[in-house]
Amino acid sequence: MDIATAEQAASSASSALKVTVVVASNREGRFAPVVADWFLARAREHQGLDIEVLDLAEAELPTTISHNPSPAVAAQLAVISPKLADADAFVVITPEYNHSFPASLKNLIDWHYVQWQAKPVGFVSYGGISGGLRAVEQLRQVFAEMHAVTVRDTVSFHQAHGLFDEDGEHREPSQADAAVKKMLDQVAWWAQALRDAKGVRPYAG
């Protein structure tokens, strides 16, 4: 390894990994803020991560996808797309609606392509008895098509409404806290490995 390559590798290893957290639900009366706030408090304590939030309740992307969007849509994309492009990794917080994930999330994914490539994706899911895991399994297939790498371990909340108190705190957080750490450790490993690899050779997507 020459000096320039070594310096580049050292710089990459020392800089924080940018993680965009996508809050997928835009449903009226959604439970997402409870789960998201709880998760973000822990993610921001994880060493070496720079957390950015993309809340789809605040996005207004039409379902009609165009290569020549209107000025209003272009303005939305000017806010949303850089959060995806600049990220080294993603964490998706998703509910399960009718055995699947929200249309708002699929729309976000479909409006973009290269922004997802060669980056890891972790999942925080919530729902009823399944804990949102059916939504996650479908998302793994979708993100594989986007050339993204989904990490194995997830954070899932079964019967989620009963797990958090009125202040948004998990009633029995030890296992959930451990799950967050494990998932973020995997996201960080893949994010660092892929960022280093792309620094040597661009991804051939």
Side-chain angles (χ1 to χ4, degrees), residues 17-22 49 84 87-92 115-123 140 143 146-152 183-196 198:
L17 296 162
K18 296 180 180 180
V19 179
T20 293
V21 177
V22 179
L49 302 184
L84 304 181
D88 296 303
F90 306 99
V91 173
V92 174
Q115 293 88 349
W116 304 112
Q117 289 185 341
K119 298 175 184 180
V121 184
F123 298 104
R140 292 188 189 281
F143 277 113
M146 297 294 105
H147 297 243
V149 179
T150 61
V151 303
R152 178 191 181 278
M183 183 268 286
L184 287 178
D185 284 347
Q186 292 175 10
V187 167
W189 189 94
W190 277 104
Q192 188 67 64
L194 290 169
R195 187 169 73 176
D196 290 348
K198 288 180 288 187

Side-chain angles (χ1 to χ4, degrees), residues 41-205:
R42 283 143 187 82
R44 287 174 173 136
E45 293 176 351
H46 196 284
Q47 187 173 2
L49 302 184
D50 179 9
I51 303 296
E52 175 83 66
V53 179
L54 174 55
D55 188 345
L56 297 189
E58 300 172 0
E60 296 182 4
L61 289 178
T63 56
T64 301
I65 296 173
S66 171
H67 292 294
N68 296 294
S70 69
V73 176
Q76 281 283 306
L77 290 169
V79 174
I80 294 170
S81 299
K83 292 185 178 183
L84 304 181
D86 293 344
D88 296 303
F90 306 99
V91 173
V92 174
I93 301 177
T94 184
E96 182 178 310
Y97 296 160
N98 302 319
H99 284 221
S100 189
F101 53 92
S104 52
L105 177 56
K106 185 61 162 64
N107 196 40
L108 173 75
I109 294 169
D110 290 348
W111 266 102
H112 298 87
Y113 186 60
V114 296
Q115 293 88 349
W116 304 112
Q117 289 185 341
K119 298 175 184 180
V121 184
F123 298 104
V124 177
S125 66
Y126 60 96
I129 194 169
S130 74
L133 292 176
R134 291 173 293 205
V136 169
E137 290 309 304
Q138 293 184 26
L139 281 166
R140 292 188 189 281
Q141 298 178 62
V142 174
F143 277 113
E145 184 66 17
M146 297 294 105
H147 297 243
V149 179
T150 61
V151 303
R152 178 191 181 278
D153 288 276
T154 66
V155 181
S156 61
F157 297 111
H158 305 256
Q159 306 294 3
H161 286 77
L163 297 178
F164 294 85
D165 64 23
E166 60 276 6
D167 296 320
E169 293 299 325
H170 199 290
R171 298 181 191 277
E172 297 180 5
S174 58
Q175 289 187 341
D177 285 351
V180 168
K181 182 181 185 305
K182 189 171 187 179
M183 183 268 286
L184 287 178
D185 284 347
Q186 292 175 10
V187 167
W189 189 94
W190 277 104
Q192 188 67 64
L194 290 169
R195 187 169 73 176
D196 290 348
K198 288 180 288 187
V200 175
R201 184 181 300 110
Y203 178 67

